[in-house]
Amino acid sequence: MEAPHSPAPEGATATARLTLHAPEQTRDLGRTLAGRLRPGDLVMLTGELGAGKTTLTRGLGEGLGVRGAVTSPTFVIARVHPSLVGGPALVHVDAYRLGGGLDEMEDLDLDVSLSDSVVVVEWGEGKVEDLSEDRLHVVIDRVVGSTDDERRVVTLTGYGARWAGADLALG
């Protein structure tokens, strides 16, 4: 993993950019990131189809020691994976088909789960920011076009006091 320098977006309290070269590194990043997460954390994942959002979440689930296979929740909207090791549950949400923003997200009772779980929302940008002032936004960009390149550039941006000064380079 390489960590090039990039300026922080407006409102960010911490930021890092990593270059990953294989899906296994995306999963490993999830495992490593899980060690930094705690109950009440909101993680937003952004990236096009096939970028690696679910692969990263699978690594988060492994790192958190949760029950059940972490798969895309596209058709069920949300899946809860209870902890097998006494840690926080993982709530995995796919907000792609949710158009109502925060109102529709609140119907899923995520605000109740947020305090004792790690909530990961795929496609949540512009929809779930108001659930918590403290959030980690992970953007996964992949090489596009006709290529076999597995490279991903992952930008981690922390917002709020929870992430102030955090070392998100995860080195």
Side-chain angles (χ1 to χ4, degrees):
M1 288 188 278
E2 303 165 21
H5 175 71
S6 62
E10 186 176 336
T13 56
T15 188
R17 177 173 276 172
L18 310 169
T19 300
L20 309 177
H21 298 278
E24 295 79 24
Q25 287 185 321
T26 304
R27 199 167 178 165
D28 289 345
L29 175 61
R31 282 190 207 101
T32 301
L33 183 57
R36 305 271 179 104
L37 297 176
R38 60 185 186 208
D41 281 343
L42 172 64
V43 180
M44 293 176 7
L45 300 180
T46 300
E48 62 188 46
L49 288 171
K53 297 178 298 296
T54 300
T55 300
L56 182 84
T57 306
R58 195 169 289 125
L60 286 171
E62 291 171 5
L64 291 170
V66 300
R67 184 180 73 208
V70 175
T71 59
S72 178
T74 299
F75 298 105
V76 295
I77 308 295
R79 282 197 172 94
V80 177
H81 298 274
S83 176
L84 295 172
V85 295
L90 172 66
V91 178
H92 186 196
V93 179
D94 186 325
Y96 184 77
R97 293 184 294 139
L98 298 179
L102 188 58
D103 291 338
E104 201 166 343
M105 293 301 292
E106 286 177 345
D107 289 342
L108 298 175
D109 289 328
L110 292 183
D111 53 340
V112 174
S113 301
L114 190 57
S115 64
D116 59 1
S117 303
V118 170
V119 178
V120 177
V121 183
E122 296 187 26
W123 305 101
E125 189 172 12
K127 299 177 182 178
V128 300
E129 288 88 343
D130 290 337
L131 287 175
S132 177
E133 290 181 15
D134 298 313
R135 65 188 178 281
L136 181 64
H137 188 186
V138 180
V139 178
I140 306 172
D141 292 308
R142 66 181 181 97
V143 175
V144 295
S146 179
T147 179
D148 290 335
D149 196 332
E150 298 280 346
R151 195 169 14 133
R152 305 291 193 262
V153 176
V154 179
T155 305
L156 299 108
T157 306
Y159 294 90
R162 160 73 174 98
W163 297 102
D167 179 11
L168 296 178
L170 304 175

